[in-house]
């Protein structure tokens, strides 16, 4: 289960710090802003996503790919036609990544991919809460889940956001990794907004992954709903 | 409406609205509820909520109005709103103003002042605060402000928020819902009158763009009013009187 | 599709708005979505006039030769002190012609020190790609180039094609000054130099990929080109030239100072292209294909029955009263023109081999045109069929 704090950056319209068992991300959202000329679209808002890595200067190619995935999903979720010629800026800073202390490779090239997927997963969930905090018009909700299948036990799915022991995380020999972002309508997971599967898998694995992602999404969304209940009572605390 | 009682009405984007569930007809949709072009064409005019908030139905002149109440920080101009604008530039026909940092600028034409003539132009400088009203909002143009009641031509309290001599002024940034409550719900939320009852004398202008301008006779009083207003945004209604009491004794010991 | 205006537009002539007509090339730049929708109504795709689930023709061209830039003295210099010099060594190459688009892939090689303590032997080797989409500009790489490069990098690792172990240089040959041939596996003579360099060095793979006359998203075709290239990859042998071995023994200049510098031995490692070994891939190569989903817009429907005005008006009346507009999703395989690219936002890229999938990347870029699970299934099947039809193994 992830833990999140909203509205922590005073000067952003919306922000959220989200920590899972092994990663931590802070997202700040500003918008709708007056954009630069090149961002100005006549009929819809532009969405700019900037992701900064936990160490070093970024965004590097690793973050550029993450930015692209995040921006594509946000494009589908934000009601862009409500803010024509405006800019919505999403800034994400990775604070903690499980592979930080050794550098991402750590002897196994697979870690490079695992680490970026863990970061992206947190960025997705954190940016949803930030968007709601910033009161940007959204068409629906979404929750991201990161699931993995290992070589040793291919029948069991591991939810990587729940692995708290870093040594266990580093010791996994992954067969395949799946990042699934599901849209939530009427309290139920419905469409796949993003599916990023890598590794070696077949149709059965995919069905299992989607099932598990639906369960995880429902559970996480319950969490988010109670978070928003609290947020709303804080927002209107002077009404009581 | 209370949040804790009616938490069933908590709406998150993607949820189904009560009017959709009960097949109720809605005549006017307000903030936070949206009818997309696609739903109009293919989905039987299905409405969906776009923000996290509480749904609210009212009937006025036999028309059902649906809104979603939510709080936010960034103001988007709406016609008829009272706002505090900052002058950032001036041109031969209009001032350029901002309502929020980094938001699109809005215009304040010289013609929108009382007794405007070609020669009589207001002399505002960059950085001046102006209390005005949003006259028109067009999706393809910057919003236009006015400094008078355009029907009567009266000044009606609009105009420059001056720093007079021997006065101390400050501007407080607050959330939009709080500013609206202070401005429109004086009876239900008597914070300002409670403050006056405590022998605080102050002048105040509230813009629904989340800005409260305060002017008092002394620096300590200004600080005191500022502190009370910002503390009350974050606390329960029951503790308002206590906050006023404490802050007044802290700053204005008499 | 030579008639650009639709009936409604013609009706507006007498209301005073001048009718504007554009040549179809111009219209396809101005209103790509409109052009695409009109083609979809006819059951065709713009420009290429392909069917919805048709792929572009792919021609593969490659040579088995290894290219070595002769000007750089035909050897790759490798000493203990300095890194490999700039070279133009191409171990495998491939040119893929997809429709009108060309993709040129060149695989090159370097040597790096291999730290067996720090590097997990079970891990899989990356390829370091550099994707250039040539469109007559210079400067920093575009976002698209960075994204494609990174995707290639990630998917090569995740696909587990090359084992890190297979890249380690296990035996190093030696060329004595007398003989012309390189001798490997010299068990007879215990050569200290060769022994200490065994399992110490590892090959590093670079891929330089150029895309010419880009049409549609390039990732899948770039990936395929690299895969076909990888199939041909051969590693040269590595030997040490005896004549290049140089010992540097520091001379004691002062008795007071402690002797810190150790004896240094430098030598040159060279590639032996006579003794090439083919790379054994850990997994069969996979083929990637992309898909897009777009919904047919019923408001732009052309009247099917002869196109007479009265029929159209009748149809409009009926629709206004009772009939709900129904949108029909269409799965498009191999997004291949800029018209399709600029109006299809929901995309899917699948790479698979005969037994399993190696990557799926589904992105719904538009809320009105989502990819359903059924379309995902269809796309997965089509990608399998595509793999079989190309049959790269």
């Amino acid at each position: 289960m992830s833990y999140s704090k909203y509205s922590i950056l005073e000067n952003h319209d919306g922000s959220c710090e989200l920590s899972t068992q092994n990663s931590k991300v802070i997202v700040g959202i500003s918008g709708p802003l007056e954009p630069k000329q090149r961002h100005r679209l006549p009929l819809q808002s532009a969405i700019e996503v900037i992701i900064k890595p936990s160490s070093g200067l970024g965004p590097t190619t690793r973050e550029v790919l993450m930015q692209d995935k995040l921006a594509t999903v946000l494009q589908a979720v934000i009601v862009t036609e409500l803010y024509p010629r405006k800019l919505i800026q999403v800034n994400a800073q990775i604070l903690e990544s499980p592979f930080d202390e050794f550098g991402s490779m750590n002897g196994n090239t697979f870690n490079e991919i695992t680490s970026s997927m863990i970061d992206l997963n947190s960025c997705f969930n954190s940016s949803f809460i930030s968007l709601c905090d910033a009161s940007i018009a959204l068409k629906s909700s979404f929750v991201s889940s990161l699931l993995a299948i290992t070589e040793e036990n291919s029948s069991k799915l591991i939810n990587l956001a729940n692995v708290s022991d870093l040594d266990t995380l580093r010791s996994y020999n992954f067969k395949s990794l799946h990042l699934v972002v599901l849209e939530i309508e009427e309290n139920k997971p419905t469409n796949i907004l993003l599916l990023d599967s890598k590794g070696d898998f077949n149709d059965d694995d995919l069905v299992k992954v989607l099932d598990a992602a639906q369960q995880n999404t429902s559970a996480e969304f319950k969490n988010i709903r109670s978070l928003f209940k609290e947020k709303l009572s804080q927002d209107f605390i002077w009404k009581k | 409406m209370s949040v804790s009682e009616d938490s069933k009405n908590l709406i998150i984007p993607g949820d189904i609205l009560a009017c959709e569930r009960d097949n109720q007809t809605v005549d006017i949709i307000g903030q936070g509820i949206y009818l997309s072009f696609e739903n109009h064409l293919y989905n039987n005019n299905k409405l969906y909520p776009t923000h996290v908030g509480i749904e609210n139905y009212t009937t006025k002149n036999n028309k059902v109005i649906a809104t979603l109440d939510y709080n936010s920080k960034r103001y988007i101009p709406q016609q008829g709103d009272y706002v505090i604008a900052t002058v950032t530039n001036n041109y031969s026909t209009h001032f350029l103003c901002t309502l929020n940092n980094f938001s699109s600028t809005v215009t304040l034409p010289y013609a929108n002042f009382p007794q405007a003539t070609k020669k009589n132009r207001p002399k505002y400088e960059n950085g001046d605060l102006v209390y005005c009203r949003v006259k028109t909002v067009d999706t393809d143009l910057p919003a236009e402000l006015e400094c008078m009641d355009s029907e009567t031509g009266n000044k009606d309290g609009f105009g420059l928020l001056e720093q007079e001599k021997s006065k101390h002024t400050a501007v407080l940034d607050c959330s939009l819902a709080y500013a609206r409550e202070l401005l429109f719900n004086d009876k239900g939320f008597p914070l300002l009158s409670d403050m006056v009852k405590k022998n605080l004398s102050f002048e105040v202008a509230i813009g629904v763009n989340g800005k409260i301008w305060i002017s008092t006779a002394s620096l300590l009083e200004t600080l005191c009013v500022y502190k009370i207003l910002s503390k009350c945004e974050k606390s329960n209604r029951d503790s308002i009187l206590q906050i006023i009491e404490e802050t007044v004794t802290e700053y204005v010991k008499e | 599709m030579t008639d650009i205006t639709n009936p409604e537009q013609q009706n507006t002539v007498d209301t005073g708005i001048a009718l504007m007509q554009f040549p179809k090339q111009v219209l396809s730049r101005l209103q790509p979505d409109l052009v695409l929708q009109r083609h979809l109504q006819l059951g065709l795709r713009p420009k290429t006039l392909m069917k919805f689930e048709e792929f572009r023709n792919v021609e593969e061209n490659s040579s088995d030769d290894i290219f070595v830039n002769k000007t750089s003295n035909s050897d790759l210099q490798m000493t203990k002190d300095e890194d490999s010099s700039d070279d133009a060594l191409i171990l495998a190459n491939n040119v893929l012609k997809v429709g009108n688009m060309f993709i040129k892939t060149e695989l090159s090689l370097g040597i790096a020190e291999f730290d067996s303590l720090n590097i997990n032997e079970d891990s899989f080797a990356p390829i370091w790609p550099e994707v250039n989409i040539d469109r007559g500009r210079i400067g920093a790489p575009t976002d698209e180039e960075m994204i494609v490069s990174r995707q290639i990098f990630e998917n090569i690792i995740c696909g587990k094609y090359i084992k890190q172990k297979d890249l380690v240089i296990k035996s190093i040959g030696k060329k004595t000054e007398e003989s012309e041939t390189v001798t490997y596996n010299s068990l007879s003579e215990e050569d200290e130099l060769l022994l200490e360099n065994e399992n110490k060095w590892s090959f590093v793979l670079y891929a330089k990929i150029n895309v010419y006359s880009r049409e549609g998203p390039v990732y899948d075709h770039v990936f395929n080109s690299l895969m076909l290239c990888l199939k041909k990859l051969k590693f040269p042998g590595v030997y040490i030239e005896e004549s290049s071995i140089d010992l540097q023994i520091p001379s004691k200049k002062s008795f007071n100072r402690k002797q810190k510098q150790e004896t240094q031995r430098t030598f040159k490692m060279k590639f032996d292209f006579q003794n090439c070994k083919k790379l054994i891939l850990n997994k069969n190569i996979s083929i990637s294909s992309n898909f897009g989903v777009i919904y047919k817009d019923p408001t732009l429907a052309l009247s099917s029955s002869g196109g007479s005005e009265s029929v159209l008006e009748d149809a409009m009346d009926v629709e206004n009263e009772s009939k709900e507009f129904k949108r029909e999703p269409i799965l498009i395989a191999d997004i291949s023109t800029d018209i399709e690219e600029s109006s299809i936002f929901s995309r899917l890229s699948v790479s698979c081999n005969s037994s399993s999938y190696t990557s799926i990347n589904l992105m719904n870029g538009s809320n009105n045109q989502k990819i359903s699970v059924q379309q995902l299934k269809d796309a997965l099947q089509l990608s399998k069929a595509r793999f079989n039809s190309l049959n790269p193994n």
Side-chain angles (χ1 to χ4, degrees):
Chain A
M1 275 296 146
S2 59
Y3 174 71
S4 32
K5 285 187 278 185
Y6 53 85
S7 302
I8 52 165
L9 300 175
E10 272 292 307
N11 292 332
H12 273 89
D13 292 320
S15 53
C16 169
E17 185 189 87
L18 181 131
S19 17
T20 65
Q21 296 295 327
N22 46 38
S23 79
K24 198 177 198 181
V25 153
I26 188 164
V27 171
I29 287 178
S30 305
L33 304 176
E34 168 101 36
K36 283 182 206 136
Q37 201 62 43
R38 65 192 161 98
H39 283 304
R40 203 173 296 227
L41 305 174
L43 294 174
Q44 51 178 306
S45 60
I47 295 167
E48 188 182 27
V49 180
I50 299 154
I51 297 178
K52 303 260 169 138
S54 53
S55 58
L57 284 176
T60 62
T61 47
R62 171 181 182 269
E63 283 79 33
V64 170
L65 179 58
M66 286 158 66
Q67 285 172 184
D68 181 59
K69 287 173 185 167
L70 187 54
T72 316
V73 169
L74 294 186
Q75 191 80 46
V77 172
I78 295 174
V79 191
T80 49
E81 64 263 33
L82 273 183
Y83 314 110
R85 298 175 311 285
K86 299 284 191 305
L87 171 74
I88 292 164
Q89 201 176 44
V90 180
N91 276 291
Q93 168 74 54
I94 319 285
L95 297 175
E96 277 171 30
S97 172
F99 298 95
D100 270 352
E101 48 190 298
F102 301 107
S104 57
M105 283 286 211
N106 188 24
N108 191 344
T109 44
F110 222 88
N111 289 346
E112 179 103 2
I113 287 97
T114 320
S115 80
S116 81
M117 279 180 127
I118 286 175
D119 289 350
L120 187 60
N121 181 44
S122 308
C123 282
F124 267 113
N125 288 329
S126 181
S127 56
F128 170 64
I129 296 171
S130 310
L131 279 171
C132 289
D133 188 31
S135 296
I136 305 277
L138 301 178
K139 282 175 181 152
S140 50
S141 307
F142 61 92
V143 166
S144 159
S145 338
L146 179 56
L147 300 156
I149 299 174
T150 54
E151 293 278 6
E152 289 82 23
N153 185 355
S154 59
S155 61
K156 194 174 153 245
L157 283 169
I158 299 163
N159 186 343
L160 285 187
N162 290 346
V163 182
S164 54
D165 185 28
L166 295 187
D167 289 327
T168 322
L169 184 69
R170 293 190 191 105
S171 68
Y172 281 134
N173 186 3
F174 293 116
K175 193 160 182 263
S176 61
L177 284 166
H178 309 263
L179 182 76
V180 193
V181 182
L182 289 178
E183 187 179 23
I184 299 157
E185 282 172 319
E186 297 171 20
N187 241 338
K188 290 188 292 287
T190 49
N191 295 297
I192 309 168
L193 286 178
L194 181 129
L195 171 66
D196 196 6
S197 297
K198 289 176 196 302
D200 184 18
F201 54 97
N202 52 35
D203 293 288
D204 292 343
D205 292 337
L206 206 58
V207 171
K208 264 193 294 183
V209 164
L210 290 179
D211 277 350
Q214 284 195 355
Q215 278 174 17
N216 182 53
T217 301
S218 301
E220 285 282 346
F221 192 60
K222 240 178 229 159
N223 233 2
I224 291 175
R225 191 172 273 278
S226 58
L227 182 84
F228 281 145
K229 205 189 271 180
E230 184 209 318
K231 170 182 153 54
L232 217 59
S233 64
Q234 284 296 317
D235 277 356
F236 292 101
I237 188 161
W238 33 264
K239 279 219 164 189
K240 277 186 277 187
Chain B
M1 177 211 64
S2 168
V3 180
S4 51
E5 288 165 25
D6 264 331
S7 56
K8 262 192 294 181
N9 284 351
L10 169 70
I11 293 285
I12 293 175
D15 284 359
I16 190 159
L17 289 164
C19 59
E20 285 293 331
R21 200 174 46 228
D22 309 338
N23 256 333
Q24 195 187 348
T25 324
V26 172
D27 300 301
I28 298 168
I29 50 173
Q31 58 168 9
I33 296 175
Y34 184 59
L35 170 63
S36 68
F37 182 62
E38 279 73 26
N39 278 4
H40 175 62
L41 267 183
Y42 312 114
N43 213 347
N44 208 4
N45 287 339
K46 189 182 179 239
L47 301 173
Y48 56 76
T50 52
H51 294 83
V52 177
I54 293 153
E55 55 182 331
N56 200 356
Y57 296 94
T58 45
T59 315
K60 224 180 202 176
N61 300 334
N62 276 333
K63 298 240 162 103
V64 181
I65 306 168
T67 52
L68 200 65
D69 291 336
Y70 61 89
N71 202 350
S72 57
K73 281 184 189 166
R74 190 167 290 275
Y75 176 73
I76 296 164
Q78 296 292 326
Q79 199 168 343
D81 278 350
Y82 298 88
V83 292
I84 293 176
T86 316
V87 178
T88 53
N89 213 340
N90 61 76
Y91 292 97
S92 59
T93 55
H94 62 274
F95 292 115
L96 218 55
C97 305
T98 56
L99 300 176
N100 283 110
N101 291 340
F102 308 109
S103 277
S104 298
T105 49
V106 293
T107 60
L108 176 57
Y110 299 144
N112 288 359
F113 284 89
Q115 281 113 41
T117 56
K118 272 194 174 172
K119 284 183 183 164
N120 178 16
R121 68 155 65 169
K123 288 189 184 65
Y124 292 172
E125 299 203 352
N126 291 356
D128 279 354
L129 296 173
V130 190
Y131 195 63
C132 41
R133 187 160 69 179
V134 182
K135 189 186 181 194
T136 47
V137 176
D138 192 303
T139 42
D140 297 323
L141 291 169
E144 193 182 315
L145 305 176
E146 60 179 359
C147 243
M148 59 173 180
D149 188 328
S150 46
E151 278 169 22
T152 59
N154 291 338
K155 201 183 171 198
D156 264 4
F158 296 116
L160 186 67
L161 298 171
E162 283 174 280
Q163 173 159 26
E164 291 163 34
K165 269 184 187 160
S166 77
K167 288 263 184 183
H168 290 266
T169 56
V171 175
L172 165 71
D173 287 315
C174 63
S175 70
L176 303 189
Y178 184 64
R180 283 196 296 268
E181 184 82 358
L182 277 177
L183 187 60
F184 298 119
N185 198 6
D186 197 33
K187 287 206 181 69
F189 185 55
L191 171 61
L192 294 176
S193 30
D194 283 345
M195 284 159 73
V196 175
K197 276 177 205 160
K198 287 283 160 204
N199 282 335
L200 276 170
S201 64
F202 58 92
E203 223 182 311
V204 72
I206 301 162
V208 289
N209 56 336
K211 292 198 191 309
I212 303 173
W213 175 83
I214 307 156
S215 171
T216 70
S218 72
L219 180 64
L220 279 177
E221 275 178 289
T222 309
L223 268 176
C224 177
V225 175
Y226 188 99
K227 284 282 173 196
I228 294 173
L229 286 176
S230 61
K231 269 184 198 164
C232 286
E233 190 189 351
K234 301 257 151 54
S235 42
N236 217 310
R237 176 166 291 187
D238 306 331
S239 52
I240 283 180
L241 284 174
Q242 198 195 336
I243 289 173
I244 296 175
E245 191 80 40
E246 279 171 9
T247 325
V248 167
T249 41
E250 189 184 339
Y251 285 92
V252 204
K253 283 169 201 157
E254 282 177 89
Chain C
M1 286 308 284
T2 45
D3 178 23
I4 298 146
T5 57
N6 66 15
E8 287 112 291
Q9 272 182 323
Q10 271 166 355
N11 290 341
T12 60
V13 175
D14 43 277
T15 59
I17 300 167
L19 176 72
M20 288 173 85
Q21 274 190 320
F22 299 105
K24 60 180 177 185
Q25 293 86 348
V26 178
L27 188 70
S28 71
R29 298 282 275 174
L30 288 174
Q31 291 280 299
D33 48 339
L34 183 68
V35 173
L36 178 63
Q37 284 293 345
R38 286 186 181 171
H39 279 87
L40 294 182
Q41 306 290 350
L42 294 173
L44 290 168
R45 289 160 64 177
K47 274 190 183 171
T48 52
L49 301 183
M50 295 195 292
K51 287 192 209 98
F52 296 150
E53 295 181 357
E54 191 179 329
F55 288 86
R56 275 175 288 179
N57 195 28
V58 171
E59 284 168 42
E60 191 211 342
N61 200 337
S62 60
S63 74
D64 289 336
D65 300 337
I66 291 172
F67 296 99
V68 181
N69 192 353
K70 298 290 176 204
T71 55
S72 71
N73 211 9
S74 87
D75 59 0
L76 182 83
Q77 295 198 332
M78 185 71 206
T79 63
K80 267 196 164 180
D81 303 318
E82 63 186 74
D83 285 331
S84 65
S85 57
D86 277 342
D87 62 284
L89 173 71
I90 299 163
L91 288 168
N93 68 80
N94 173 283
V95 176
L96 208 61
K97 183 171 186 268
V98 185
N100 295 320
M101 174 165 65
F102 283 91
I103 293 158
K104 184 187 86 186
T105 305
E106 294 166 346
L107 275 177
S108 167
L109 197 67
I111 292 180
E113 205 163 348
F114 174 72
D115 190 351
S116 55
L117 292 174
N118 262 337
I119 293 178
N120 190 342
E121 284 233 356
D122 289 330
S123 91
F124 295 89
I127 292 178
W128 300 94
E130 184 198 338
V131 178
N132 273 311
I133 297 170
D134 289 76
R135 37 162 64 130
R137 61 178 281 283
I138 47 165
T142 58
D143 270 9
E144 189 194 7
E145 288 165 341
M146 286 194 262
I147 289 165
V148 172
S149 301
R150 181 72 195 182
Q151 275 180 316
I152 296 273
F153 173 79
E154 290 193 351
N155 284 340
I156 290 287
I157 295 174
C158 290
K160 304 188 174 180
Y161 299 106
I162 312 157
K163 275 194 172 169
Q164 186 71 58
K165 260 194 284 196
D166 295 341
L167 291 189
V168 178
I169 303 167
K170 291 201 181 67
S171 66
I172 292 178
K174 197 171 186 182
K175 192 165 151 190
T176 50
E177 277 174 79
E178 305 90 64
S179 70
E180 277 296 293
T181 53
V182 185
T183 48
Y184 292 92
N185 231 348
S186 48
L187 281 172
S188 52
E189 43 175 317
E190 285 278 306
D191 194 320
E192 191 196 329
L193 179 66
L194 290 186
L195 273 178
E196 81 179 31
N197 276 304
E198 268 174 23
N199 291 324
K200 194 182 169 190
W201 305 95
S202 160
F203 290 120
V204 181
L205 290 169
Y206 304 100
K208 185 156 172 30
I209 301 163
N210 286 68
V211 179
Y212 302 102
S213 36
R214 176 187 183 280
E215 273 184 340
V218 295
Y219 163 73
D220 304 273
H221 309 294
V222 167
F223 180 80
N224 292 349
S225 174
L226 182 60
M227 280 285 125
L228 294 170
C229 215
L230 211 54
K231 224 174 52 172
K232 294 215 164 59
L233 182 62
K234 279 181 283 190
F235 290 127
V238 177
Y239 64 90
I240 292 171
E241 218 169 17
E242 202 164 54
S243 59
S244 71
I245 301 175
D246 186 17
L247 272 180
Q248 280 182 348
I249 304 165
S251 55
K252 273 189 187 173
K253 281 178 185 153
S254 151
F255 287 101
N256 300 338
R257 212 182 298 158
K258 258 195 176 173
Q259 191 77 41
K260 268 188 185 162
Q261 224 178 355
E262 282 173 35
T263 311
Q264 250 194 1
R265 180 158 53 183
T266 62
F267 52 87
K268 275 182 182 170
M269 279 161 90
K270 289 192 170 180
F271 287 142
D272 176 13
F273 296 106
Q274 312 303 313
N275 274 302
C276 281
K277 248 198 319 187
K278 210 164 177 312
L279 168 75
I280 300 149
L281 287 173
N282 183 44
K283 283 247 165 70
N284 276 341
I285 66 164
S286 48
I287 287 293
S288 182
S289 32
N290 69 41
F291 303 89
V293 167
I294 187 152
Y295 282 68
K296 226 193 227 178
D297 189 347
T299 57
L300 290 173
L302 305 166
S303 65
S304 49
S305 51
S308 76
E309 295 254 326
S310 62
V311 174
L312 187 80
E313 272 166 24
D314 283 353
M316 296 273 276
D317 286 344
V318 172
E319 274 165 352
N320 284 344
E321 278 160 24
S322 59
K323 220 168 83 186
E324 265 256 311
F325 283 121
K326 277 277 180 297
R327 299 196 307 159
E328 191 189 328
I330 294 168
L331 182 72
I332 284 181
D334 196 7
I335 300 172
S336 48
T337 52
D338 48 350
I339 301 176
E340 286 165 11
E341 202 188 357
S342 58
S343 24
I344 300 177
F345 301 109
S346 297
R347 295 183 197 163
L348 172 61
S349 154
V350 184
S351 59
C352 65
N353 53 34
S354 50
S355 60
S356 59
Y357 306 106
T358 48
S359 90
I360 295 178
N361 187 8
L362 180 153
M363 286 209 251
N364 262 322
S366 160
N367 202 279
N368 310 318
Q369 302 180 334
K370 273 176 252 168
I371 303 172
S372 65
V373 176
Q374 184 56 46
Q375 282 148 2
L376 174 62
K377 277 184 197 158
D378 292 349
L380 291 179
Q381 262 178 2
L382 276 173
S383 66
K384 287 258 180 200
R386 176 71 172 163
F387 176 85
N388 290 331
S389 74
L390 288 181
N391 197 15
N393 287 326

